Amino acid sequence: MKIKQFIKSLNNTEIGKGGTHEYYVLVSKKVPNIENIFDTSNLKPKFFNLKNGGLIDSVHITIGGEFRINGLGDFYRNNNVNAGDEILFERRDTINSTEFYIDLNIKSNIITFQKNSKGFEVLNIDRLTRKMSDMKYELKGFFNGYFQDIKIEFKESSKKRSDSPEMTDFYDIIVADKNILNEFKSNDFLVLEELPNQTTLKKVVVWQKYEFQL
């Protein structure tokens, strides 16, 4: 059996919290050979749902300026998906059959940030606001392998672009008294992961693709 997997960390636009209220997964042009999973004969695959059971037959692939996996609204709503959660698409090929599977890795212990030139946008803001005092959240945790003072502080409300319909709240992330905004590229994702014995601020690998044989 040959198994091919594509894993994506979801953002707010993909889960319907953007202005378009669409529900999909955007596949970056940097993902190599995504058509090995979704070839032209499998653009409307039926997925075995590993998260809840049953079949999902609403998914359809669009190829053009962007490669999108569409039709995920019910799946997102049924699982209360948030930014930073990971979605898995898997294809299993045998001599006689091709089957598709879908799953989720729910990450309820993370706060997700996306870099903008104006600061960091918080993609699951409710998780941050309940920790804040006087518009900031101060803690100790690991960043770049060192245990350091970390401060997340409200910066400003501004439009992402001049034509943006709504204002966005932006935050500074300060580690050991240094603003780390310029250490990252535009649209990079960071997560603050809080485990019982360790807190870590780190950059996220937004997508992963694997192929292996069983």
Side-chain angles (χ1 to χ4, degrees), residues 5-109:
Q5 296 178 335
F6 174 64
I7 303 168
K8 175 74 185 292
S9 292
L10 296 166
N11 60 50
N12 276 343
T13 304
E14 291 170 311
I15 63 175
K17 294 183 179 179
T20 59
H21 301 292
E22 295 180 290
Y23 305 88
Y24 62 96
V25 168
L26 176 63
V27 181
S28 168
K29 289 182 169 66
K30 296 180 181 180
V31 178
N33 303 319
I34 190 64
E35 65 276 4
N36 288 352
I37 300 177
F38 301 110
D39 55 45
T40 54
S41 61
N42 288 288
L43 298 182
K44 293 185 178 180
K46 292 184 179 180
F47 286 90
F48 293 95
N49 185 349
L50 297 175
K51 188 68 179 177
N52 314 95
L55 280 174
I56 296 175
D57 59 5
S58 60
V59 174
H60 56 283
I61 313 299
T62 56
I63 303 172
E66 295 180 334
F67 191 110
R68 286 192 181 194
I69 306 169
N70 306 286
L72 293 162
D74 287 341
F75 185 63
Y76 289 165
R77 285 186 288 268
N78 290 341
N79 292 285
N80 191 29
V81 172
N82 286 276
D85 293 340
E86 291 179 338
I87 190 167
L88 162 73
F89 301 98
E90 180 173 291
R91 173 174 174 157
R92 301 179 187 177
D93 287 304
T94 65
I95 295 175
N96 300 314
S97 68
T98 295
E99 294 178 340
F100 291 88
Y101 296 81
I102 191 169
D103 201 358
L104 278 172
N105 180 14
I106 300 294
K107 296 193 169 187
S108 57
N109 63 325

Side-chain angles (χ1 to χ4, degrees), residues 139-141 143 146-151 173-180 183 201:
L139 65 148
K140 290 184 180 290
F143 177 70
Y146 295 96
F147 191 68
Q148 306 181 69
D149 291 323
I150 299 171
K151 181 168 66 174
I173 301 178
I174 299 165
V175 178
D177 295 323
K178 179 185 177 183
N179 192 318
I180 64 171
E183 296 184 24
L201 178 67

Side-chain angles (χ1 to χ4, degrees), residues 148-166:
Q148 306 181 69
D149 291 323
I150 299 171
K151 181 168 66 174
I152 302 160
E153 187 171 28
F154 176 77
K155 181 181 180 182
E156 64 174 327
S157 293
S158 180
K159 290 186 176 183
K160 290 184 183 180
R161 300 176 301 274
S162 60
D163 60 346
S164 296
E166 299 177 351

